[in-house]
Each structure stands twice: as C-alpha cells, then as structure tokens.
Amino acid sequence: MPLPAASLRDDALAIWQAGVDAVRSDRLVQEAVRVQDGYLTVGDQRLAVGEIGRLAVVGCGKAGAGMAAGLEAALGPRLMDDKRLIGWINVPDDCVRPLRRIHLHGARAAGSNEPTAAGAAGSELILEIVRSLTPADVCLCLISGGGSALLPAPVADVTLDDKLAVTRHLSAAGANIRQLNVVRKQLSRIKGGGLARACGAGRLIALIISDVLGDPLDVIASGPTVADPSSPAEALAILDQFHASAAGISPRVFQALAAGPAPPARPVRNPACAVTNIIIGNLATAVAAAGREATRRGYETRTAVAPRLEGDAEQVGRDLAAEALAMASGGGPRCLVHGGEPTVRLVDSRRRGLGGRNQQLALAGLEYLATQRLDPGCGVVLLSGGTDGEDGPTDAAGALIDSQILAAAALSSDAAAAIADHLARNDAYRFFDPLGALLRTGPTHTNVCDVRVVLTQPARP
C-alpha cells in the first residue's frame, strides 16, 4: 500500500536530519580530540601534555559554537585551567552562548552572511592572541564554513565597505565560491594562510568541517591556516571577468591588488610553527548517514555527492524533479540522497525578493513537476536544505515540495505565472511561506553544503 503523503514528508525530514546529525560539530570534535595517559591527541597528532606551555583556541565559522563546546568537553576543565587556555571564536550572533574558557564572539547577524565591523574587531583579537604565543605553546584552530564572512581583516588601504561591495557584486554576478575566495584572500591579512603566518606557537593544529565540494583546504573559510596558491593577478582577472570596475568597485581594491602581496604587518615570531590541517567532517559524511537512515526506513536508496560546484540551482532542481518522476515509475518506495552546492544568479536588487539557493532549487523543481502528468496516487517528495540551517538571508534552511504542496500551489488560476514570477525575482521564500513548505531548523551548529532528499512511492496498481 502506498504511504500517505504525510508519512513521506515525515520520512524525508527524518532522513535529512539524520544527515545533519552525523556532522554535528560537537560530536565530530569530541571524536577527534582526547586526553589520555598524559597525552593530548588531536586527529593523528599526539602531544605530551607536560611539554605544552599554553593552549590557545581560535577560529571562525557557522559550526564554531558547537566545535568549541565539543573541544571544551574533550579537553576537560583541569587541562584547560592548567594550560591557561585562552579562546576566541567568531560565530553568527544567534550561536553565541557562554562556555567555560572559549569566548564565542557574535561577528554577524543571523541570516546575513556578510562581514561586519564586529567581525573585523574579533579578527584583530584573534591575530593578537596568536601573535602572543611562544614556541612552547599549542594553538588549536576551529574552522568551518561561513568563516570567510566571519573573519574579515582587510589589507591596508582597503576598507571593510570596499570588501563588502566586492563580495556583493561577485555574488550577484554569479561568481562561484572558489572565485569569491580568491579575491577575498588577496584582500585579507588573515585569510590565505595569514593566521598561520602570524602564529607564534610551536604547533598549530586546525580542525576543519568542510562546506566545499572536494574539501580543498585553501578554499574552506578562505584557508586561514593554508598557504594560498592564488595570486593578486588571478584576483584581478576575476574582477575583470565580472566587470567589477564598471560596477563602481573602489579603485583602492584594484590598487591594492596591482601592488602585489604586502609583507606581514608584524614580524612572524616563530617561522618554524608546524601547521597541521585535519578534515573532521564533510558532505560525504552527511549524505552517507542520510542514506543509511533511508534504507533503515525501507527505501531502495541511492546516494550521490556532486564532485564539483553544480552550476545553476534552477537546473539542479529541474533535474532532481525529473529524477523523481523516473524513480516513481519503478516499483516500491525509493530514495535518492543527493549532496551538492549550486549557484543562483541574483536579479537587480530593486526587483529581488527573498530566498536562497535551496528554496530556488525547490521552486524550480515544483515548476517542473507542475507541468508533468503525475499519477494522483503517486507520492513524491523533494526536499532541499542547507545543513547549516541557513538559506540565503532568510530564517529557513530550505524548502520541501510534495503532493500536498503541488496541489496547494495549483489552486491559483495563474499558478504557472506566479511560480515563474517568483523564480525570476529570486522570491521563493514568499512563494513557499504561505504554503507551509519552508524548512525551518534554526542554527544547526554545523555546515557541510546542501543535502537533498527525493522520495517516491508509486501508485497502487
């Protein structure tokens, strides 16, 4: 017997949540860090506790609060006190909470993934902390997605507003995360290995939750602990590709890049600082866990992770909707768990509505399904959500469509025109909100790109 629509929806939500739970930041850190028999083990690094001078913890990202809580639990109060642990993590405002020794600094408002003056002030304090360390000390760095916006430290003569204008222009013009980060790194004193260059500790170990497909260390949070393979010339070429000069970007940006890399603002106290970067969680982890949950619930399950940036979110949504139709033609309940990260080309701000890439993807999928002949007895669900609980400048992680949402959307006499209009204006949020189709989770304290769940239940013969 086919599952009722409500059961399919509940299953989709539970499957997606299983993926998110598998990359819970506190859990991942506690699995990577332990103190035992006089040793501090971080990933594959084993350090004698008695040889550690001080411990410092710095970092940034949407998962920063959970990572910090997990680290404090793993280290324990005695070690933190004995090593006079000092900690500072830049996180979104709605992730701030009191911890024992690590300070969580609100560096931007919730749902606004842009650098702020508060983030810049926090970044300067992070640089002060790592510069104060000596070769006997150990610095642990907690890095996760969203760190690029949370850790701003512009180069000399470039203002925070200058960098913000660059980021907004490139994002609106359709630049992908790699292109954005090349430019951001070249305009930063802390990204592109800047934090590591400033660190005076003998050891710097970064624990990283990846939100970038393929897990390139230099791209995640713009690589504050990783040598930068890009160049000012490459950043200038990207700005030229997206016509930044014609968009009114400050001449200071172009002048800073044309001048080439600047020397560090202060001498590096310990050039021999040994740096280790460890990936502790990524999209593949989440997709695999979601797939296991789908199988446990009785679905014939396939999983897939996009190997690279996917391109247009609307096309990904249509492709997943077409895949749902193909799955529905088979026998038995079926599931596809798909992970990736698409892009959205934003319309002019004067026309732009409200939404994010997951909502845009889901609305394009709904548009496709609304034009197809779908057996009324067939169950279909397409859910797309950001694992961080944020999708664009909204309070939703994404959106879900099923037979009930399809039926509700079709009630309007001009449904097709309404869907097309909301897509064209990047206004999926306002389309889905009255239908109860938005996925609202609040902060998840992790971030590994997007997870989509497609479920189908064929009609009764």
Side-chain angles (χ1 to χ4, degrees):
M1 175 181 292
L3 294 170
S7 296
L8 279 177
R9 179 185 288 206
D10 289 345
D11 281 351
L13 291 167
I15 291 165
W16 184 84
Q17 188 63 52
V20 173
D21 289 344
V23 288
R24 268 183 43 189
S25 53
D26 57 344
R27 175 187 299 170
L28 292 173
V29 171
Q30 289 181 72
E31 290 172 351
V33 178
R34 65 182 183 277
V35 179
Q36 187 175 17
D37 300 329
Y39 286 91
L40 168 62
T41 303
V42 184
D44 59 358
Q45 305 295 299
R46 193 164 184 254
L47 311 175
V49 169
E51 297 177 5
I52 297 173
R54 294 181 62 204
L55 270 176
V57 180
V58 296
C60 60
K62 296 178 182 179
M67 295 180 81
L71 182 61
E72 286 201 349
L75 295 175
R78 180 176 177 179
L79 178 62
M80 290 192 293
D81 292 344
D82 286 350
K83 299 304 176 182
R84 296 170 294 143
L85 186 147
I86 182 172
W88 188 285
I89 311 289
N90 280 7
V91 299
D93 290 352
D94 59 347
C95 295
V96 172
R97 52 178 158 152
L99 296 176
R100 181 183 176 89
R101 306 248 352 174
I102 301 172
H103 175 75
L104 300 177
H105 174 66
R108 68 157 174 82
S112 176
N113 197 26
E114 293 186 332
T116 67
S123 298
E124 294 300 332
L125 281 168
I126 286 172
L127 286 171
E128 288 181 16
I129 288 171
V130 300
R131 285 171 180 151
S132 73
L133 301 176
T134 71
D137 301 330
V138 172
C139 182
L140 301 178
C141 189
L142 307 179
I143 298 173
S144 57
S148 292
L150 289 163
L151 201 66
V155 297
D157 300 324
V158 172
T159 69
L160 188 62
D161 285 342
D162 292 339
K163 284 195 69 175
L164 182 56
V166 169
T167 301
R168 285 175 173 171
H169 170 71
L170 291 177
S171 297
N176 62 43
I177 186 63
R178 295 174 189 273
Q179 293 167 320
L180 278 169
N181 281 0
V182 165
V183 176
R184 287 191 285 208
K185 285 186 289 185
Q186 292 300 325
L187 294 172
S188 174
R189 291 176 289 116
I190 198 168
K191 298 177 174 68
L195 190 151
R197 289 192 298 273
C199 186
R203 297 293 301 271
L204 189 160
I205 304 174
L207 297 177
I208 301 168
I209 297 177
S210 171
D211 70 329
V212 183
L213 301 177
D215 306 333
L217 291 171
D218 62 298
V219 178
I220 303 163
S222 298
T225 60
V226 182
D228 183 14
S230 66
S231 67
E234 187 178 352
L236 282 168
I238 291 168
L239 291 176
D240 182 62
Q241 177 184 344
F242 292 98
H243 311 293
S245 60
I249 299 301
S250 170
R252 291 185 293 268
V253 169
F254 299 95
Q255 291 164 3
L257 293 173
R266 292 176 57 181
V268 177
R269 291 185 58 181
N270 179 22
C273 177
V275 179
T276 303
N277 293 288
I278 305 170
I279 299 282
I280 61 172
N282 59 13
L283 182 58
T285 307
V287 168
R292 289 192 294 271
E293 178 63 17
T295 299
R296 190 188 72 80
R297 288 173 176 262
Y299 291 89
E300 180 184 329
T301 304
R302 290 186 296 120
T303 62
V305 177
R308 62 188 67 86
L309 288 166
E310 299 172 289
D312 183 64
E314 293 176 28
Q315 188 57 51
V316 176
R318 295 184 188 103
D319 290 344
L320 288 174
E323 180 67 20
L325 291 178
M327 291 164 57
S329 66
R334 295 186 174 187
C335 174
L336 169 64
V337 180
H338 191 271
E341 181 177 353
T343 57
V344 175
R345 187 176 295 275
L346 299 177
V347 299
D348 185 274
S349 59
R350 291 168 294 184
R351 294 185 57 228
R352 191 182 311 155
L354 190 62
R357 65 184 183 235
N358 288 282
Q359 296 162 55
Q360 191 84 354
L361 183 155
L363 187 54
L366 185 149
E367 181 183 50
Y368 180 90
L369 290 175
T371 65
Q372 307 301 306
R373 289 184 176 275
L374 190 63
D375 190 318
C378 176
V380 173
V381 175
L382 193 165
L383 180 156
S384 184
T387 53
D388 55 2
E390 291 186 345
D391 188 35
T394 76
D395 63 352
L400 174 151
I401 59 175
D402 60 10
S403 56
Q404 293 178 349
I405 300 300
L406 278 165
L411 290 177
S412 169
S413 59
D414 58 348
I419 294 172
D421 175 61
H422 282 79
L423 276 175
R425 294 186 295 103
N426 309 127
D427 198 28
Y429 182 95
R430 293 191 178 96
F431 183 91
F432 281 128
D433 193 21
L435 299 178
L438 291 171
L439 176 62
R440 290 186 171 98
T441 65
T444 63
H445 303 293
T446 193
N447 186 19
V448 295
C449 298
D450 304 334
V451 172
R452 301 84 177 239
V453 179
V454 179
L455 298 183
T456 62
Q457 170 68 54
R460 184 184 304 176

